Amino acid sequence: DRLAYENHHSFFPTGVSFIVDTLPIIVYSPTDPLARAMLYVPHKYAAVVFKGEIVTDLLGRVISFTALHLGVMHDATIWSLGKHLRPTLVGEYGLGDRIYSPCPDLITDFLPIANQGPGVPPLPLTAAESDWNSKKNGVRSRVEHSVAEQQRPFGIYQTKFRGDPAILEACQIVTA
């Protein structure tokens, strides 16, 4: 239960109850060129992938898992499209990495202030902002343990999946 008393951290004593991240599910390349284009992520994974989204509480327990999102879909879009599956309370927030910065219900890193004008470099973070990012990411890293469990040796995603996406989705439900 994400609202349980023990689900907190000293850096976030109230208001923050979950952490979100996505993970790649590497699959064999489809023969259909359109399907391949929707799943191939060259820069981050250099592979054909579906994405899975995992949400944990602050203790690392899985709250929500959705899968078989298109590999090219932005993580913030995956979060926004699935909000109806996991309603939150007023004043309740989650933690995400900087890719989730467009999401108002997720706390992300401070980012350098860009767009100061043509040719002007972004303003660097202050020492306090960098320190805060480091502490926040220390808490956020708890979700990475759950991601690692999905991808560890003998985990379901240790090798490329070959087969029917419906079977893969069923495996997701069982393992999450």
Side-chain angles (χ1 to χ4, degrees):
D1 180 13
R2 72 177 199 283
L3 302 177
Y5 173 76
E6 71 275 3
N7 184 32
H8 68 279
H9 187 275
S10 59
F11 194 62
F12 296 105
T14 61
V16 174
S17 61
F18 59 90
I19 309 166
V20 62
D21 204 1
T22 60
L23 64 134
I25 303 167
I26 299 174
V27 295
Y28 277 91
S29 184
T31 56
D32 180 341
L34 178 59
R36 189 171 40 253
M38 297 302 290
L39 298 175
Y40 182 63
V41 184
H43 303 297
K44 187 168 184 180
Y45 305 119
V48 176
V49 302
F50 282 107
K51 284 185 179 178
E53 179 189 65
I54 191 164
V55 181
T56 67
D57 64 13
L58 297 184
L59 300 174
R61 299 175 296 204
V62 176
I63 297 170
S64 168
F65 191 93
T66 61
L68 300 190
H69 304 285
L70 296 176
V72 296
M73 190 176 289
H74 193 280
D75 293 2
T77 303
I78 293 171
W79 173 256
S80 297
L81 291 175
K83 284 180 68 163
H84 69 283
L85 298 173
R86 47 193 174 322
T88 56
L89 301 174
V90 174
E92 181 184 9
Y93 297 94
L95 300 178
D97 56 19
R98 65 179 55 193
I99 198 84
Y100 293 98
S101 60
C103 304
D105 54 345
L106 295 175
I107 298 170
T108 62
D109 293 347
F110 283 103
L111 300 174
I113 299 172
N115 301 326
Q116 299 300 310
V120 178
L123 296 175
L125 297 178
T126 66
E129 290 169 334
S130 293
D131 183 54
W132 191 91
N133 282 354
S134 179
K135 289 178 181 173
K136 189 233 24 139
N137 286 324
V139 178
R140 195 197 68 77
S141 70
R142 293 174 181 205
V143 75
E144 302 297 343
H145 298 290
S146 297
V147 169
E149 285 297 310
Q150 296 288 324
Q151 297 178 318
R152 74 188 191 289
F154 308 112
I156 190 169
Y157 306 119
Q158 68 180 357
T159 61
K160 291 181 185 178
F161 179 81
R162 178 187 299 192
D164 186 346
I167 294 171
L168 179 60
E169 189 168 30
C171 291
Q172 286 294 145
I173 293 167
V174 169
T175 60

